Amino acid sequence: MTPQLIDPFQRAVTYLRVSVTDRCDFRCVYCMSENMTFLPKAELLTLEELDRMCSAFIGLGVEKLRITGGEPLVRKGIMTFFDAMSRHLDSGALKELTLTTNGSQLERYAADLYAAGVRRVNVSLDTLDDEKFARITRWGRLPQVLRGIDAAQAAGLRVKINVVALKDFNEDELFRIAEWCAERDMDLTFIEVMPMGDLGNEDRVGQYWSLADVRAELAGRYTLTDLAERTGGPARYVRLEETGQKIGFITPLSHNFCESCNRVRMTCTGQLYLCLGQEDMADLRAPLRISEDDSALIEAIHKAIGLKPKGHDFDYSRQQADGQVSRHMSHTGG
Ligand code: SAM
Ligand code: SF4
């Protein structure tokens, strides 16, 4: 299908990330505070509304859908939604249906996800040490996640591990994590930690570890080859020649990819964020709820895409002075 969502800078929007819940069964220190207040249920898009919303985007040329959260797999009835989306894979309109998860529920859902047409999952995992895992996620338990990863691979899903790079936390595990991923034939991506509001962390985990340093450390042990691969997002990839594996580096607020940015993000309340680094957003819930017919929604989507900023390096004044983006990642889904 020809993309219909072309922004003012002639970029086609073909990738939608959708947060289906703000809730989570973990409390990662860099993402949430221990005592979170979650949205009342009426604020959230229902599963049927999520279906309408995503289907409208797919009708407008979106080819890739990533489901995220909060933790997408704790949303009640979420498999109904995945099952419903598989019709767009069957029709060929949707090329990829995928999700980012903390892995806690994968043991239960991996086979169903595969049956719905999901072929790849991103699992966020910052450490392979039980005690450190409990500390960074507060509520998570590592063995449960490892069983989830086993289940995902057994079901035929390709797994990519996302690691938030944290100084004095997982610095010492760099090679161990890389080798573990290589042994299991999983891709690996490092994410630079973003300062996300005041999360009340007295424990001093969550400190910035530059990905340039992560890369330099890897280069000290392995031969790194830069890959030309671009996904329209903030990731850069290398191959480790010794293991053959692909490693990605995501610097979320870097702006060297803005000119090829192909994505928008929707919150679980139907707000469409046009750029991760800026506050520009449009409410799509009101036009969705106004009628059962999608015309108001489609008009609102077109209007929103018309607001997509050129990039987040062009107007830093719109961010808070210290470079923080006030919303949490669990709100926009990362
Ligand atoms: N719960 C799922 C998970 O953890 O994969 C999906 C949502 S989570 C918000 C998406 C990604 O954002 C995760 O990989 C997480 O590590 C990352 N993330 C959360 N807060 C972050 C922060 N402050 N800086 C960088 N990455 C962050
Ligand atoms: Fe939950 Fe994911 Fe945030 Fe951790 S990063 S608290 S798993 S939403």
Side-chain angles (χ1 to χ4, degrees), residues 55-109:
S55 300
F57 274 95
I58 293 164
L60 293 169
V62 161
E63 295 182 329
K64 177 171 174 180
L65 200 56
R66 176 174 296 280
I67 308 306
T68 176
E71 173 47 42
L73 297 181
V74 302
R75 170 86 196 244
K76 207 169 157 208
I78 194 63
M79 284 316 304
T80 315
F81 170 77
F82 276 102
D83 287 341
M85 285 303 104
S86 66
R87 71 181 186 278
H88 297 300
L89 290 168
D90 294 342
S91 77
L94 189 62
K95 302 275 187 293
E96 185 170 35
L97 173 63
T98 184
L99 70 154
T100 301
T101 172
N102 65 24
S104 70
Q105 309 302 315
L106 271 180
E107 192 175 19
R108 182 169 164 205
Y109 289 126

Side-chain angles (χ1 to χ4, degrees), residues 94-327:
L94 189 62
K95 302 275 187 293
E96 185 170 35
L97 173 63
T98 184
L99 70 154
T100 301
T101 172
N102 65 24
S104 70
Q105 309 302 315
L106 271 180
E107 192 175 19
R108 182 169 164 205
Y109 289 126
D112 294 342
L113 288 167
Y114 189 90
V118 174
R119 292 294 174 264
R120 300 197 297 167
V121 288
N122 288 359
V123 180
S124 306
L125 175 63
D126 303 329
T127 172
L128 291 172
D129 178 278
D130 283 352
E131 180 276 320
K132 281 161 76 178
F133 188 85
R135 185 148 53 98
I136 199 83
T137 62
R138 294 202 188 96
W139 295 6
R141 296 298 170 258
L142 181 62
Q144 185 181 348
V145 171
L146 296 180
R147 287 199 306 274
I149 293 171
D150 287 342
Q153 291 196 300
L157 296 170
R158 181 130 189 101
V159 177
K160 187 177 82 166
I161 301 293
N162 281 345
V163 177
V164 176
L166 298 164
K167 205 166 188 68
D168 301 330
F169 179 76
N170 53 16
E171 256 180 309
D172 56 340
E173 289 185 82
L174 177 58
F175 300 131
R176 184 173 173 218
I177 292 174
E179 275 152 28
W180 178 72
C181 288
E183 278 160 22
R184 302 192 54 137
D185 190 24
M186 301 187 293
D187 289 327
L188 168 62
T189 294
F190 291 97
I191 307 176
E192 209 158 71
V193 73
M194 295 208 282
M196 300 301 268
D198 177 16
L199 299 178
N201 300 320
E202 293 95 43
D203 38 3
R204 291 174 53 76
V205 272
Q207 297 187 49
Y208 179 77
W209 179 21
S210 141
L211 293 192
D213 293 347
V214 175
R215 193 195 150 107
E217 281 202 38
L218 284 169
R221 176 174 302 206
Y222 303 101
T223 315
L224 270 47
T225 306
D226 283 305
L227 300 177
E229 188 173 330
R230 295 281 183 272
T231 56
R236 290 287 175 271
Y237 297 94
V238 297
R239 189 173 50 241
L240 299 198
E241 294 304 337
E242 288 79 359
T243 62
Q245 80 201 107
K246 192 169 85 171
I247 297 198
F249 301 97
I250 300 189
T251 35
L253 287 185
S254 69
H255 47 75
N256 50 5
F257 62 93
C258 294
E259 64 286 352
S260 61
C261 182
N262 60 356
R263 59 199 58 197
V264 289
R265 297 173 166 78
M266 196 173 69
T267 69
C268 54
T269 57
Q271 292 173 328
L272 191 72
Y273 279 90
L274 285 319
C275 171
L276 186 59
Q278 293 199 357
E279 305 285 352
D280 304 69
M281 63 95 165
D283 172 42
L284 297 182
R285 190 181 59 189
L288 176 92
R289 288 187 175 169
I290 216 165
S291 102
E292 281 174 21
D293 169 280
D294 282 346
S295 50
L297 173 64
I298 288 171
E299 195 186 320
I301 294 174
H302 278 297
K303 212 167 142 200
I305 298 300
L307 297 173
K308 190 165 162 61
K310 190 167 183 183
H312 46 71
D313 50 336
F314 290 92
D315 190 358
Y316 272 110
S317 60
R318 278 194 269 183
Q319 290 180 33
Q320 292 175 9
D322 55 3
Q324 291 189 354
V325 180
S326 56
R327 59 191 191 268

